[in-house]
Amino acid sequence: MERTGEVLLLLVLMTDFAVLVTDRLSTCIRIMAAQGVLLGLLPFASGAAIGVHTVVLSLGTIAIKSIVLPRVLSWAIREAEVRRELEPSIGPIGMVVLGLVAVGVAFGVATRLPHAGATVLPGLVPVSLASLMMGFVVLTTRRKALSLVIGYLMLENGIYVFGLTLAGAIPLLVEMGVLLDVLVGVFIMGLVVFQIHRQLETQDSRRLTELRD
Amino acid sequence: MIATLGAIAIWFTGALASFVARRQPARAALLGAAAAVAGGLLGGAAALRAIASRGASEVFSAGWSVPYGALTLRLDALAAAFLLPLCLIGALCAVYGVGYLRAHEDGPSPGASFTAYNLLLASMAVVTLAANLVLLLMAWEVMTLASFALVVSDQESRAARGAGFLYLVFSHIAAGALLLLFILLAPGGGSWDMARVPAHAAAPFAWLFVLVLIGFGTKAAIVPFHVWLPDAHAAAPAHVSALMSGVMITIGFYGMARFLPFLGPPNPFAAFVLVGLGAVGALGGALLALVQRDAKRVLAYSTVDNAGLVTLAMGVGVMGQATGAPRIAMLGWTAALVHVWTHALAKPLLFGGIGAIAHALASRDLERWGGVLRRWPVLGTLTLIGGLSIAAIPGFAGVAGEWLIFRALFEAALSLSGPARVTALLGIVAVAMTAAFSVACYVRLIGIGLLGVPRGEVRESSRVAPGPAVIAPLAVIAMLCVTAGWFPQAIAGMLARPVASLVPRGDATLVTAMLQPLGVLGMALTGAFALLAALRAALVRKSAVREAVTWDCGYARPGPRMQYTAASLAEPVSSLFAPMLRTRIEALGLTGLWPSSARWRSRTLDQTVTGVYRPAFGGFSSLLLRLRDLQQPRVTTYLRYVVLALLVVLALLFLPIVVRP
């Protein structure tokens, strides 16, 4: 069981790296959908007792993260007619290096955190931190508003993995609340992106400079 | 305790009532003032009983959901010593305020004003009674905000907004210091009750002492934290200035008297600092009061002067405790509390009188005043009594405190040795000079402002004549001032128990015996003056009185503008102390054979403002302006800030200082 969990976590990390080096938005969305499936399977492998609770959590995760959200995002890129990230500020090699740094920092920090060793699956905390930081890498380097949505999703997935360390303790409602929160967040961002495109005929977030007071 | 709680409840109800009735100004003012008076009477009675009774202090306690908080109120002798003037002056100033606000129809709205006024009374009462640090801090903040609202209540006035901002800035610095102080003093866990404050504080004495000085000293107008006061007192309505100067200042001293024992055993270092700051404040305040042109600023700087005297007296008290001389400690602390009381009487009287005069003469500029005593004899006489009291003339209230300060300083200079003796000697010099300047200052205020004929406009409408709501409270205070001047030993006797709670080994009869002759002297002086006045009246009645020019030295047509001016009266002192005061003079002299016009103008600014605070705040604000560059118009920049913050927090994990469970 533990080995399955570790393999799943490794795959989550690899999907994160895949997002980092991909500049086609539709591919990014597909990778995120795949990551959603991996995350949905994780509760069974994280060592917690398997019950109705786990099944609901898993099914809900897969439904939202790998079916609903990718559809919303695909619809958004189709409407806004964007295909790929324009003129990326850092090339693929640079992104991989940044990702490696993020993973290094995550594993370094995880040993210092008070509850790092408490879970059955020790990889959960470092992988969640790595995923979170790679989400930040995407958020800070990409320029298309839709890429920012992807970065935000990676960040949320990191938080989800961290939440799994407490899967036994968190009531079901809270988890569903978290998932719903992500869903609503992405919906709103999708709509905003669409509106930005409609108003400004561009998706470049650098153009959003009029907000300063 | 029921009576005290009732008073606080009445004040809160009054605040609510005048807020609800704010659309009908007259009713709002009446409701607010009625509550202030009722609460004042009830609270004053409770305070009097607490001062007089020999029993233990009364305690009220209730739970409170705020962390570390508890609604614990304790009425002991020390709290009662500060609660009594608060109730008395609070009630009288409220009555005055009704008349004042009615006369100033275009001024502050009575509803808002009395809401804040009653809140201020209630919060000050809670500060004096609070036995829990969190409760005290919260009441302290309500006090600051309520008084801020009162300072800026004249919404048309630009000066009031500036003064309010300055006051708010200083109050927040002070509140920050208090918060730090309370955290350092706090007992571990449970509610932060004063009774549970550990005997040995966790921090060095000097740190705690500096925090007490900043936290309470700002409210108490101790130099160099007094800067907010002149502006705030000048901008606020007269009854508010009276309450703030007479009572709110003393709340700062209450805090010092209450918290100094928590810091550890009495410390000579603290005594020297207090005496030094007190001497600088007293002397500087008196000098600056002497050169002000705005009548209310004269009174404001006079408050700084008196706050300095109280600080100095406290310093002598601490010196006595630190050197193991209970006699000196007793004298010093009694002097401080007596001076707090007499100042709480005299200053509201002056602010009330000066406020009414300023309204009648349509100006606060002393150079435009004059002729008050003849036109409004009652108002003029009341103001005169206030001036005599605060200038420490025997027969009036102020003399007792200053006399005791002198006695304490002389005792210290004669019986102590080493640095304590030097400090006491310097203190004697400072207090003597202060007393002289203070007399000069009030000679100027009364002589220029009240005597002679008006130099400027006089409002002639009947509405201007001060009504009974203005005169009656002032008359009550004036009577108390005279009574206190005739029987100073009674004040010291009333304050014996509060002082005993600070200096347990003192002998109260010592002070009463010391003050007895002073009262007799005062009565004799007053009697002699009354005799002379009666004689003059009898002589004048027999002969006809006509108005004429005093000396007709070639002036063809002497006018009111040719009277002696306030600036000329202050000139000898201000030129003597030119290096300290740095008065700026702009003069456009007479030129040519047939000179047509000339100008002469002098301005004296507070050196702590121009020399210390303005450069410091200016540098600080230009430093902060650079932070604006952090605000970038890009979303990704903000995200980078988030990442940076996250990395910093994570880096904290690698530092040894972080406590891990």
Side-chain angles (χ1 to χ4, degrees):
Chain A
M1 226 30 198
E2 258 179 56
R3 292 212 64 85
T4 331
E6 275 165 22
V7 169
L8 280 174
L9 285 176
L10 203 64
L11 286 172
V12 168
L13 271 187
M14 287 176 69
T15 48
D16 282 340
F17 273 104
V19 172
L20 286 189
V21 296
T22 312
D23 56 1
R24 258 184 93 83
L25 282 174
S26 55
T27 318
C28 281
I29 293 170
R30 253 175 249 135
I31 297 169
M32 288 315 288
Q35 196 181 53
V37 176
L38 293 173
L39 293 179
L41 294 176
L42 254 182
F44 295 106
S46 68
I50 295 165
V52 185
H53 177 79
T54 329
V55 174
V56 173
L57 178 64
S58 159
L59 288 180
T61 309
I62 293 175
I64 289 171
K65 284 190 193 289
S66 53
I67 298 171
V68 180
L69 290 182
R71 291 221 165 165
V72 174
L73 292 176
S74 303
W75 168 80
I77 58 168
R78 208 167 40 246
E79 289 291 309
E81 291 167 352
V82 279
R83 290 288 173 265
R84 56 175 66 232
E85 174 71 22
L86 285 170
E87 37 177 316
S89 51
I90 300 173
I93 308 278
M95 292 299 266
V96 170
V97 170
L98 277 178
L100 284 174
V101 170
V103 172
V105 170
F107 275 82
V109 165
T111 56
R112 290 274 176 164
L113 282 174
H115 295 296
T119 57
V120 184
L121 198 58
L124 277 180
V125 176
V127 167
S128 81
L129 286 175
S131 179
L132 201 131
M133 277 187 251
M134 279 193 268
F136 270 123
V137 169
V138 170
L139 280 172
T140 49
T141 54
R142 301 267 165 108
R143 286 170 189 155
K144 285 273 182 199
L146 251 171
S147 300
L148 300 190
V149 180
I150 304 267
Y152 176 65
L153 262 180
M154 288 169 71
L155 203 144
E156 281 289 342
N157 285 350
I159 293 170
Y160 168 85
V161 174
F162 198 89
L164 283 182
T165 59
L166 302 165
I170 296 184
L172 181 65
L173 264 179
V174 177
E175 280 161 10
M176 292 319 284
V178 171
L179 290 176
L180 213 62
D181 176 48
V182 178
L183 183 66
V184 171
V186 172
F187 257 119
I188 290 172
M189 282 181 88
L191 287 174
V192 169
V193 166
F194 184 60
Q195 285 299 324
I196 290 169
H197 178 73
R198 280 259 295 263
Q199 297 291 322
L200 304 173
E201 296 295 325
T202 178
Q203 265 213 325
D204 191 342
S205 63
R206 279 179 305 175
R207 292 284 301 274
L208 300 177
T209 56
E210 305 294 316
L211 299 171
R212 193 177 183 186
D213 63 35
Chain B
M1 204 65 213
I2 304 270
T4 330
L5 291 176
I8 295 171
I10 289 175
W11 282 324
F12 273 123
T13 320
L16 199 67
S18 37
F19 178 74
V20 170
R22 66 191 181 282
R23 303 248 177 264
Q24 297 138 295
R27 179 178 298 177
L30 276 184
L31 281 173
V37 171
L41 288 177
L42 201 58
L48 260 181
R49 213 183 52 199
I51 282 186
S53 70
R54 306 238 168 274
S57 52
E58 301 170 65
V59 181
F60 166 83
S61 200
W64 198 19
S65 57
V66 172
Y68 307 117
L71 292 172
T72 314
L73 299 174
R74 180 181 296 112
L75 180 59
D76 57 8
L78 185 64
F82 287 86
L83 189 61
L84 185 60
L86 154 67
C87 291
L88 178 72
I89 300 300
L92 290 170
C93 285
V95 178
Y96 178 92
V98 174
Y100 181 87
L101 291 177
R102 196 184 292 147
H104 292 73
E105 269 170 355
D106 49 348
S109 120
S113 190
F114 272 102
T115 305
Y117 188 91
N118 276 308
L119 271 182
L120 178 59
L121 288 182
S123 58
M124 286 197 294
V126 174
V127 168
T128 57
L129 295 169
N132 178 281
L133 296 179
V134 179
L135 179 63
L136 198 159
L137 197 67
M138 210 163 267
W140 186 269
E141 281 301 277
V142 174
M143 175 173 89
T144 298
L145 293 178
S147 50
F148 164 76
L150 286 168
V151 167
V152 299
S153 62
D154 192 355
Q155 293 172 359
E156 300 299 314
S157 159
R158 214 182 148 72
R161 282 197 296 266
F165 180 71
L166 190 67
Y167 175 47
L168 213 54
V169 167
F170 272 86
S171 298
H172 277 97
I173 294 172
L178 280 190
L179 186 61
L180 212 56
L181 173 74
F182 290 175
I183 289 171
L184 288 176
L185 284 180
S191 73
W192 287 2
D193 279 349
M194 281 189 201
R196 295 183 56 238
V197 168
H200 297 285
F205 179 86
W207 295 16
L208 297 173
F209 181 63
V210 167
L211 289 176
V212 165
L213 265 188
I214 298 175
F216 293 116
T218 303
K219 208 56 105 190
I222 293 178
V223 168
F225 313 115
H226 68 285
V227 175
W228 60 271
L229 183 139
D231 285 358
H233 281 20
H239 63 295
V240 175
S241 313
L243 186 72
M244 282 173 76
S245 173
V247 178
M248 207 180 73
I249 302 290
T250 69
I251 301 296
F253 286 116
Y254 165 76
M256 295 184 63
R258 179 69 85 190
F259 276 84
L260 278 179
F262 287 146
L263 307 190
N267 185 317
F269 158 77
F272 298 148
V273 171
L274 285 176
V275 172
L277 289 181
V280 172
L283 208 52
L287 271 175
L288 281 167
L290 186 55
V291 295
Q292 296 302 315
R293 212 176 142 166
D294 181 336
K296 283 183 90 177
R297 289 183 83 89
V298 173
L299 299 184
Y301 274 109
S302 163
T303 301
V304 174
D305 154 17
N306 285 291
L309 287 179
V310 176
T311 315
L312 194 147
M314 280 189 174
V316 179
V318 175
M319 194 193 286
Q321 287 168 315
T323 51
R327 209 174 134 91
I328 297 170
M330 172 85 202
L331 277 175
W333 280 106
T334 315
L337 291 190
V338 167
H339 202 71
V340 159
W341 271 27
T342 53
H343 181 253
L345 284 177
K347 199 41 80 61
L349 177 55
L350 272 168
F351 264 114
I354 293 289
I357 295 170
H359 178 58
L361 296 178
S363 168
R364 299 203 315 243
D365 185 354
L366 260 185
E367 307 287 12
R368 303 191 171 279
W369 281 25
V372 173
L373 211 48
R374 174 160 305 174
R375 197 176 293 258
W376 297 288
V378 178
L379 181 61
T381 311
L382 292 175
T383 313
L384 179 62
I385 291 176
L388 290 170
S389 298
I390 213 136
I393 304 299
F396 297 93
V399 71
E402 286 196 27
W403 177 254
L404 285 177
I405 293 173
F406 266 121
R407 291 299 294 256
L409 282 169
F410 273 111
E411 294 259 339
L414 290 175
S415 62
L416 299 180
S417 59
R421 169 178 255 169
V422 178
T423 314
L425 283 170
L426 289 176
I428 291 172
V429 176
V431 175
M433 285 169 79
T434 306
F437 291 144
S438 172
V439 171
C441 164
Y442 284 98
V443 164
R444 175 173 173 265
L445 187 70
I446 305 288
I448 299 291
L450 268 54
L451 301 180
V453 289
R455 293 161 175 82
E457 175 202 356
V458 177
R459 288 185 195 174
E460 290 295 352
S461 77
S462 61
R463 216 164 50 79
V464 162
V470 168
I471 294 295
L474 298 185
V476 172
I477 305 181
M479 272 193 297
L480 287 171
C481 276
V482 174
T483 317
W486 287 354
F487 307 101
Q489 67 274 22
I491 296 187
M494 281 174 84
L495 284 169
R497 286 197 61 238
V499 174
S501 70
L502 293 163
V503 190
R505 287 182 299 138
D507 177 17
T509 54
L510 166 85
V511 180
T512 6
M514 217 174 256
L515 286 175
Q516 197 113 30
L518 202 63
V520 176
L521 175 69
M523 276 189 254
L525 267 178
T526 322
F529 182 80
L531 210 66
L532 284 173
L535 198 66
R536 178 186 178 276
L539 285 174
V540 161
R541 204 185 309 147
K542 282 181 190 158
S543 52
V545 178
R546 75 187 168 88
E547 219 165 88
V549 181
T550 319
W551 291 295
D552 218 349
C553 303
Y555 293 125
R557 273 177 295 171
R561 297 272 292 152
M562 290 165 74
Q563 294 174 93
Y564 210 58
T565 63
S568 348
L569 195 60
E571 199 271 340
V573 177
S574 68
S575 61
L576 196 63
F577 288 89
M580 273 119 94
L581 287 172
R582 300 190 186 209
T583 304
R584 286 178 209 164
I585 293 172
E586 304 163 24
L588 194 68
L590 301 172
T591 50
L593 286 176
W594 306 101
S596 55
S597 70
R599 274 164 50 83
W600 194 90
R601 192 184 153 84
S602 74
R603 246 157 75 90
T604 309
L605 297 172
D606 193 332
Q607 286 302 307
T608 29
V609 179
T610 53
V612 181
Y613 286 109
R614 202 158 287 160
F617 281 177
F620 196 55
S621 90
S622 67
L623 198 73
L624 290 184
L625 271 181
R626 265 186 229 156
L627 283 182
R628 283 186 76 102
D629 293 346
L630 283 180
Q631 192 193 9
Q632 291 286 336
R634 286 189 202 156
V635 181
T636 43
T637 316
Y638 290 118
L639 287 168
R640 277 172 205 158
Y641 292 155
V642 173
V643 176
L644 212 62
L646 180 74
L647 288 177
V648 168
V649 170
L650 288 178
L652 284 180
L653 288 173
F654 292 88
L655 290 180
I657 54 160
V658 176
V659 182
R660 262 180 260 136

